[in-house]
Amino acid sequence: MFENLSSRLSGVVKTLRGHSRLTEENIQDAMREVRMALLEADVALPVVKQFVAEVKERAQGKEVVGSLTPGQAFIGVVYEELTRLMGAQNDALNLAAVPPAIVLMAGLQGAGKTTTSGKLAKFLKETQKKRVLLVSTDVYRPAAIEQLKTLAAQIEVEWFPSDISQKPVDIALAALDYAKRHFHDVLIVDTAGRLAIDEAMMQEIQALHVAVKPVETLFVVDAMQGQDAVNTARAFGDALPLTGVVLTKMDGDARGGAALSVRHVTGKPIKFLGVGEKLAGLEPFYPDRLASRILGMGDVLTLIEDVQKTVDQDEALRMMKKVKSGKGFDLEDFKAQIQQMKKMGGMGALLDKLPGQLSAAASGQVTDKAVARIEGIINSMTPQERQKPELIKASRKRRIAAGAGVQVQEVNRLLNQFEQTQKMMKQFSKGGMGKLMRGMKGMLPGM
Amino acid sequence: MFSFFRKKTADTPQEHQPATAPETPADAAPVAAAEPAAPVADVPTVPAAASVADTFVPAPQPQEKPKLSWAERLKAGLAKTRDKLGKSLASVFGGGKIDEDLYEELESVLLTADMGVEATTFLLDDVRERVSLKGLKDAQELKGTLKDALDDLIAPLEIPLDVSGHKPFILMVAGVNGAGKTTSIGKLAKYFQGQGKSVLLAAGDTFRAAAREQLVVWGERNGVQVIAQESGDSAAVAFDAVNAAKARGIDVIIVDTAGRLPTQLHLMDEIKKVKRVVQKAEPTGPHEILLVLDANTGQNAVSQVKSFDDALELTGLVLTKLDGTAKGGVIAAIAKQRPVPLRFIGVGEGIDDLRPFVARDYIDALFD
């Protein structure tokens, strides 16, 4: 089962790999693929052009590090560059101001400002124990104020009444006054959706910004937005000193290229992702996840990255030397590998990062429990047995099984798997992290 | 009692759906080809709407302003779009000869308009072929060629909506969150009222906070009847509304639904149910299922059309928010990958700014 899974997974990587060496020509081809992928993901064309040029430069200058295949190295560059462009990880809200800290929401019609306001209020209330006040200055869309009121009631956050006959600035100032007198920590000011080219409306939100002096001005962007994201973001960025971006409707199947465009144009961090209509659906932003989503690869790249990051290079080198020197791979090493896997968050976390259908296929098959059991069995062996597994005969097996609380058959199975792995290890003349990782698949029981 | 009813509706039409599914794309296409030249002669009957026109959005259309023709309005709405696109095109068509650099620039222009890789490639190939066929040399002539190519691609989508066949004519509106469904419904209601039809709205968005109020408030202001329920599901609201429309002799009923992303499978099932339940109340309905698309949306609009078409068998599209800088070029991608008639486009916030789609006008507004 797992065999099948991992072959499918490596298939994904292979289609991108396919060449044994990075040549100028196959970078061109691959760059074209990447360009198409980015355009299909709705990354704005100027951003795509610049990105492609940068990656090309980096990929050509870069030598392929020993343990990586050229394909992996290439993906690595694209991916790193994309992640870097997307900015810092999970940049939290800066609410360090004399209370009330004011958060101003801005964006196009239908981007999800009101829903995000509600989600943000709930998030601040629950995770940071803030006293939040919500106020709507949307006096244009019918029932927009009502919508925020309903949301506020659902999350049990205080809502400041406003009326369509009032001016947005007056509403905001009244709410600010109220928040001060009632000791609210945070005031979230929802605004009407507006087109960036609607000068009157842009002036209105500028006036609003001047009046309330928010510590956070969040630009709310629909993840489905297309090429125009560049123009919109530029116009909003010019009009308002934005402090961050919220990307909404991330539960859809849009690849979210707008995020890259907006990030590129405004230079502001993406602070949250809006997921779903439920009010709990506000998630921190991880640039690496979004990078692979834009590239359209599930989180396969994250997986590769995790493997590269977490597997201890020294440990790997030590093991490779051992294999090369012909000194046999023993159960101690086997255990070390399992521990490395645990560092990566266990099988569950690894599986979560595979594309949907793959992880569904694998769930229930590979469990952290099985891994823990292997560890238990190895822990029940003496150091001598671990180094020389051939010592383990019937009575030792019984003792080990009793010690680990398993059946003798499981000890047998482990020893069989170990033996296979050992054979495989001997075949590695050159070695490499990828091969080591692939080698591990043979070690897990029941597959 | 109610759950029994629900369960029953869930069972029957589901078997029924796959059977009808293959027919629709087949007969939608010939229609598209057969009657593209039925222009919308009856559109400018708006004077009746003038008295209420200013209530919906506070960007009032001054009455003293002379009535603009439809093409002029579209042009005004797309002015900023055109500015951007026009500028980049002006440099492309500025003169000189037709060479690879020119095609590359053309490609950028089309991609920037959200036409997507596939439609752009298709259009460019088409333009190349025409250029070599006609032996064109000058970059100036390329513009007309491009317009023709684009026209050939999207003109089949130009099929105006005809509501005269049924009474009540049941129109169902679907779309993702924030596409502008409820706002478009308001404009549609005005549009039909302008044609002298009586309109009834069904506040089927029972999920989003205050969506019902949004429609009810709008209805009150504009003297349109709205059927709403305190709670309950949208299918029930739709059922009631259809029956009410029959009883009251209403011409057009518009059923609103909650915004949903196609990835939310349970919500897609729910909207299928709304359709089935409407069919219970009126076996010939719904007569039109419109998907509302936001012109700001990128290539995801294509997958929205596909998903909603698979679920509901769409009969039309509405493209909103064309008054911004977004160009709505994604309709070219839609025309290429899943052609569904584009019934209306929204070119402004004013109540009259939802108009039937005319391919040539759109292209002219985009390029001239």
Side-chain angles (χ1 to χ4, degrees):
Chain A
M1 182 63 219
F2 194 52
E3 179 82 33
N4 181 26
L5 168 70
S6 56
S7 72
R8 282 164 73 187
L9 170 59
S10 61
V12 174
V13 181
K14 259 181 206 152
T15 52
L16 268 146
R17 202 160 52 194
H19 299 279
S20 58
R21 194 173 300 163
L22 273 185
T23 67
E24 168 134 20
E25 198 180 40
N26 65 26
I27 286 182
Q28 291 285 5
D29 287 353
M31 284 321 307
R32 191 172 164 74
E33 290 299 311
V34 169
R35 183 171 180 264
M36 291 301 163
L38 294 176
L39 284 171
E40 280 298 301
D42 290 320
V43 180
L45 188 64
V47 182
V48 172
K49 280 182 174 166
Q50 194 179 338
F51 176 77
V52 167
E54 276 174 19
V55 176
K56 195 168 149 189
E57 204 166 298
R58 275 197 64 183
Q60 279 180 337
K62 195 160 185 166
E63 59 190 290
V64 178
V65 184
S67 62
L68 297 173
T69 65
Q72 279 172 322
F74 177 70
I75 300 169
V77 178
V78 172
Y79 175 79
E80 269 169 35
E81 201 69 2
L82 204 53
T83 310
R84 190 182 61 78
L85 264 175
M86 218 82 77
Q89 175 167 321
N90 186 17
D91 205 329
L93 281 185
N94 167 29
L95 298 175
V98 179
I102 298 161
V103 181
L104 182 67
M105 315 295 285
L108 293 177
Q109 288 96 339
K113 287 175 299 303
T114 306
T115 305
T116 306
S117 300
K119 287 178 177 181
L120 197 58
K122 184 179 165 78
F123 174 82
L124 291 174
K125 178 189 165 201
E126 286 175 4
T127 63
Q128 302 184 19
K129 304 265 176 284
K130 299 282 186 192
R131 268 195 81 197
V132 182
L133 181 66
L134 279 169
V135 64
S136 170
T137 62
D138 185 352
V139 295
Y140 307 102
R141 183 165 61 97
I145 295 172
E146 191 74 8
Q147 184 185 354
L148 194 66
K149 181 184 178 183
T150 312
L151 293 178
Q154 281 172 16
I155 54 177
E156 293 170 13
V157 162
E158 210 172 333
W159 167 80
F160 186 79
S162 49
D163 186 87
I164 53 166
S165 62
Q166 292 170 283
K167 288 207 180 86
V169 173
D170 296 343
I171 295 172
L173 287 176
L176 177 56
D177 186 51
Y178 180 88
K180 275 180 184 159
R181 282 190 285 111
H182 293 79
F183 307 106
H184 286 276
D185 300 314
V186 181
L187 169 64
I188 299 177
V189 182
D190 185 22
T191 64
R194 63 201 71 221
L195 290 170
I197 47 165
D198 187 335
E199 278 171 29
M201 289 295 280
M202 290 309 278
Q203 275 166 14
E204 182 204 276
I205 201 167
Q206 280 175 317
L208 208 51
H209 186 274
V210 170
V212 299
K213 297 177 197 68
V215 287
E216 286 280 359
T217 306
L218 299 178
F219 181 45
V220 181
V221 187
D222 186 333
M224 298 183 293
Q225 210 186 349
Q227 297 284 326
D228 200 50
V230 182
N231 302 328
T232 313
R234 186 172 297 129
F236 272 91
D238 288 348
L240 293 170
L242 302 174
T243 59
V245 175
V246 181
L247 202 58
T248 61
K249 305 180 203 173
M250 282 298 287
D251 49 333
D253 54 0
R255 307 251 295 274
L260 186 60
S261 310
V262 171
R263 165 79 201 172
H264 184 87
V265 170
T266 63
K268 301 301 177 208
I270 296 166
K271 298 203 168 182
F272 293 101
L273 304 180
V275 182
E277 268 194 283
K278 299 263 157 53
L279 287 164
L282 193 68
E283 294 183 356
F285 168 70
Y286 295 101
D288 45 357
R289 303 257 168 90
L290 193 61
S292 34
R293 177 163 173 167
I294 289 176
L295 285 174
M297 296 184 58
D299 270 4
V300 171
L301 283 166
T302 317
L303 176 76
I304 296 170
E305 200 73 359
D306 270 2
V307 171
Q308 289 169 351
K309 251 187 273 165
T310 325
V311 173
D312 186 354
Q313 298 282 339
D314 291 345
E315 176 73 3
L317 277 177
R318 189 187 66 79
M319 204 164 342
M320 244 179 303
K321 265 185 197 157
K322 207 167 177 179
V323 174
K324 272 187 195 164
S325 67
K327 248 193 175 177
F329 170 80
D330 62 25
L331 277 163
E332 238 7 301
D333 303 321
F334 197 100
K335 196 176 128 194
Q337 281 192 346
I338 288 170
Q339 277 163 349
Q340 281 182 340
M341 205 154 78
K342 268 180 147 180
K343 268 197 229 163
M344 288 184 275
M347 286 312 294
L350 279 177
L351 290 175
D352 277 349
K353 288 173 181 155
L354 298 177
Q357 73 272 36
L358 291 188
S359 67
S363 66
Q365 296 291 326
V366 191
T367 58
D368 285 328
K369 231 178 175 177
V371 176
R373 198 170 285 186
I374 294 177
E375 222 184 333
I377 297 173
I378 298 178
N379 283 339
S380 302
M381 298 174 182
T382 65
Q384 206 189 5
E385 284 166 349
R386 291 181 210 174
Q387 278 160 17
K388 290 187 173 175
E390 56 273 20
L391 287 177
I392 303 173
K393 294 278 171 335
S395 76
R396 284 183 196 258
K397 278 179 191 167
R398 274 199 299 278
R399 194 203 77 241
I400 292 166
V406 298
Q407 299 293 312
V408 175
Q409 288 94 315
E410 287 192 58
V411 179
N412 282 331
R413 204 178 302 148
L414 169 68
L415 289 172
N416 272 333
Q417 279 160 357
F418 169 71
E419 208 174 306
Q420 281 171 9
T421 313
Q422 201 176 26
K423 267 186 203 155
M424 205 157 44
M425 285 296 181
K426 279 179 186 158
Q427 289 166 359
F428 294 159
S429 49
K430 288 180 187 141
M433 290 319 299
K435 285 180 180 169
L436 278 182
M437 283 312 297
R438 260 171 270 150
M440 286 174 67
K441 77 190 171 208
M443 306 172 189
L444 296 163
M447 273 143 267
Chain B
M1 158 66 192
F2 198 69
S3 62
F4 167 69
F5 164 72
R6 215 185 265 175
K7 202 171 176 185
K8 213 174 156 196
T9 56
D11 288 340
T12 29
Q14 231 162 20
E15 300 152 7
H16 167 81
Q17 260 181 348
T20 56
E23 292 170 27
T24 325
D27 60 23
V31 171
E35 43 169 350
V40 214
D42 52 340
V43 181
T45 41
V46 243
S51 58
V52 263
D54 56 340
T55 39
F56 185 46
V57 181
Q61 301 288 17
Q63 289 174 8
E64 67 270 20
K65 206 161 93 186
K67 278 274 170 282
L68 295 170
S69 80
W70 157 231
E72 282 172 297
R73 282 176 155 281
L74 175 59
K75 248 179 205 176
L78 280 175
K80 305 94 187 181
T81 301
R82 195 176 59 249
D83 274 357
K84 282 256 152 56
L85 197 59
K87 258 175 220 152
S88 46
L89 278 172
S91 62
V92 175
F93 298 129
K97 49 184 201 321
I98 298 174
D99 56 12
E100 274 311 300
D101 285 352
L102 191 66
Y103 280 118
E104 201 165 301
E105 273 186 66
L106 209 54
E107 184 187 35
S108 317
V109 171
L110 297 179
L111 285 173
T112 313
D114 278 322
M115 292 194 185
V117 174
E118 190 182 336
T120 298
T121 314
F122 173 82
L123 280 172
L124 281 181
D125 290 348
D126 195 10
V127 169
R128 272 176 206 270
E129 208 176 298
R130 286 167 197 245
V131 164
S132 69
L133 219 60
K134 292 188 204 155
L136 299 182
K137 293 257 163 31
D138 189 51
Q140 297 273 13
E141 296 168 298
L142 201 60
K143 187 173 171 181
T145 315
L146 176 63
K147 282 168 77 172
D148 289 346
L150 186 57
D151 192 40
D152 284 357
L153 181 61
I154 64 174
L157 300 189
E158 183 190 319
I159 306 167
L161 177 61
D162 178 15
V163 297
S164 58
H166 300 272
K167 184 171 175 167
F169 186 91
I170 305 167
L171 202 155
M172 191 175 145
V173 178
V176 301
N177 316 65
K181 282 177 301 302
T182 310
T183 306
S184 296
I185 286 172
K187 293 180 180 177
L188 277 173
K190 271 283 162 222
Y191 172 78
F192 292 127
Q193 277 189 330
Q195 298 183 340
K197 313 247 183 230
S198 55
V199 181
L200 180 83
L201 305 181
D205 184 352
T206 51
F207 184 81
R208 199 198 71 196
R212 190 180 67 234
E213 286 81 350
Q214 186 178 347
L215 208 60
V216 170
V217 166
W218 188 88
E220 276 170 12
R221 286 188 201 167
N222 293 282
V224 175
Q225 304 174 47
V226 179
I227 300 285
Q229 285 180 359
E230 261 314 303
S231 59
D233 70 346
S234 35
V237 178
F239 186 84
D240 283 359
V242 173
N243 284 332
K246 282 180 167 175
R248 299 179 197 174
I250 298 282
D251 295 318
V252 181
I253 161 170
I254 308 178
V255 180
D256 191 13
T257 62
R260 66 202 73 221
L261 297 172
T263 45
Q264 296 160 330
L265 297 179
H266 60 293
L267 292 180
M268 293 307 279
D269 284 343
E270 187 208 67
I271 201 168
K272 286 187 205 167
K273 177 181 158 190
V274 175
K275 183 183 173 186
R276 289 196 305 266
V277 172
V278 167
Q279 282 166 340
K280 282 214 145 216
E282 172 54 54
T284 63
H287 308 106
E288 177 79 4
I289 302 178
L290 285 174
L291 177 69
V292 178
L293 294 170
D294 181 339
N296 286 299
T297 309
Q299 296 313 301
N300 192 247
V302 181
S303 82
Q304 286 173 27
V305 172
K306 286 181 181 165
S307 314
F308 278 98
D309 192 28
D310 290 344
L312 297 172
E313 295 163 27
L314 298 175
T315 57
L317 304 176
V318 178
L319 189 65
T320 63
K321 307 187 198 172
L322 266 174
D323 48 332
T325 44
K327 296 154 193 78
V330 75
I331 57 168
I334 291 168
K336 191 77 193 63
Q337 296 182 36
R338 182 68 70 99
V340 175
L342 177 55
R343 305 289 197 189
F344 295 95
I345 62 177
V347 292
E349 299 213 313
I351 196 83
D352 306 331
D353 289 336
L354 189 77
R355 290 308 188 87
F357 171 68
V358 180
R360 202 72 217 188
D361 287 352
Y362 170 78
I363 295 168
D364 286 345
L366 214 54
F367 289 151
D368 288 344

